[in-house]
Amino acid sequence: MKRQTRLFPKAVVALSRLGENIKLARRRRGITSALMAERADLSLMTLRAIERGSPKVSMGNYMSVLFCLGMQDEMAQVGAADVQGRDIQDARLLRRAR
């Protein structure tokens, strides 16, 4: 039995936004769905699922599409700033210093 992916509502919204952004980027470049699916080595159904922000599609497939759009470096920046994580780290360092 396959386990179903469960996401928090905000994660669903974020994935939906990502899918919409991918779709808009593809359209801005004048790339058809069929051509994008071919370039990314995906089925048209998988590309459509990505553009809807489906959580059932693997991260690798999302990355294939982003690579074809020349946007792979943007994905690599996710979490790079991590302001909250740095604040937590700084607070721990301050506690240790006392």
Side-chain angles (χ1 to χ4, degrees):
M1 194 159 122
K2 200 170 185 179
R3 210 169 112 183
Q4 187 173 352
T5 304
R6 294 184 197 162
L7 296 174
F8 291 107
K10 285 186 178 184
V12 172
V13 170
L15 265 177
S16 179
R17 193 174 309 130
L18 174 62
E20 183 64 24
N21 289 342
I22 288 170
K23 184 177 186 176
L24 289 171
R26 175 184 60 76
R27 286 182 169 177
R28 280 187 208 107
R29 287 161 175 75
I31 302 171
T32 65
S33 295
L35 182 58
M36 178 58 74
E38 183 182 331
R39 286 180 179 177
D41 196 28
L42 302 172
S43 71
L44 199 50
M45 287 179 57
T46 300
L47 177 63
R48 287 185 181 140
I50 288 170
E51 291 183 349
R52 285 192 309 269
S54 173
K56 294 181 180 182
V57 178
S58 76
M59 186 65 122
N61 287 339
Y62 274 91
M63 286 302 297
S64 292
V65 171
L66 289 169
F67 183 82
C68 290
L69 292 168
M71 300 173 74
Q72 68 279 358
D73 292 339
E74 292 178 38
M75 191 63 146
Q77 292 301 312
V78 172
D82 193 16
V83 174
Q84 184 178 13
R86 289 176 194 267
D87 288 345
I88 292 168
Q89 183 181 31
D90 291 346
R92 285 185 190 142
L93 292 172
L94 284 174
R95 273 188 259 135
R96 288 183 192 159
R98 289 181 191 173

